[in-house]
Amino acid sequence: PRRFGVVELKGRVITRIVEKPQRPKSNLAIVGIYYLADSALLFERLTQLIRSGRKEKGEYPFTWTLQELARSGVAIRPIRIERWLDCGTVAAILETNRFLLRRNCHFRPRKGCIIIPPVFIDDSARVESSIIGPNVSLGPDVTVRESIVRDAIVNSGAVLERMVVARAVVGVGHAGKMLMVQA
């Protein structure tokens, strides 16, 4: 859990929240979903943090605010989740994409193309003379011509021509004939 924030408990209440600890005292990772009944108090503490100018690596860590709430007596309780789909690294995003594609595969056949499920190809995507899949998501208005794309996410408006794209996330509006991003 060193890549994440972790919590320490006393009974069923969070007593300590540590962001990316080198030696975690717990394996209870924070997944980034919170429910707080008193949002006014949360925003008050966030405002205080920002006004203080206290940052870590150029950011205002949200976990500092949660820790301050816990320290001031707000009872924060964790809930256990069955599945967490991490999106903190390119490799994790692609793993999450593979998981989601097993549950939601969608495409329509394209003439002159080989499509290897599971894939999700937005109906507005233009795919010509290409091999797509497995484990590919093509967003809206993507254009793929004379390319091979596998284990990848191609975001809206991207244009891929005469490329081999594997284990990659292609940014919104990328247009080019060469791509060297891999997980």
Side-chain angles (χ1 to χ4, degrees), residues 24 31 101 112 120 131 140 160 183:
V31 300
L101 286 171
F120 183 95
I131 301 172
L160 306 178

Side-chain angles (χ1 to χ4, degrees), residues 135-151:
N135 302 310
V136 171
S137 291
L138 301 182
D141 301 315
V142 164
T143 300
V144 180
R145 286 188 192 100
E146 299 176 5
S147 295
I148 299 171
V149 183
R150 64 176 158 64
D151 199 22

Side-chain angles (χ1 to χ4, degrees), residues 14-144:
I14 295 172
T15 57
R16 188 159 184 246
I17 302 164
V18 183
E19 186 65 36
K20 298 180 177 104
Q22 286 300 310
R23 293 187 184 100
K25 293 183 180 178
S26 152
N27 67 351
L28 301 173
I30 298 172
V31 300
I33 299 172
Y34 309 94
Y35 170 79
L36 296 158
D38 188 355
S39 61
L41 181 59
L42 170 68
F43 285 106
E44 176 186 311
R45 297 298 168 86
L46 286 169
T47 300
Q48 289 172 358
L49 174 63
I50 291 167
R51 285 184 180 151
S52 76
R54 233 176 99 202
K55 293 182 182 181
E56 184 173 281
K57 298 179 184 173
E59 298 178 350
Y60 298 103
F62 185 67
T63 52
W64 288 359
T65 300
L66 293 176
Q67 177 61 50
E68 181 58 34
L69 289 172
R71 189 176 302 135
S72 70
V74 174
I76 303 174
R77 292 179 181 82
I79 60 167
R80 188 166 299 275
I81 59 171
E82 296 300 318
R83 170 141 329 249
W84 174 36
L85 303 175
D86 178 27
C87 293
T89 65
V90 172
I93 290 169
L94 293 173
E95 182 179 338
T96 295
N97 189 54
R98 288 188 291 271
F99 174 82
L100 294 172
L101 286 171
R102 287 193 300 272
R103 285 156 176 71
N104 187 23
C105 183
H106 169 80
F107 67 94
R108 59 180 173 76
R110 305 306 211 274
K111 187 176 179 181
C113 294
I114 298 171
I115 298 175
I116 308 164
V119 298
F120 183 95
I121 302 174
D122 189 270
D123 288 339
S124 67
R126 292 168 298 286
V127 184
E128 304 167 5
S129 304
S130 295
I131 301 172
I132 307 296
N135 302 310
V136 171
S137 291
L138 301 182
D141 301 315
V142 164
T143 300
V144 180

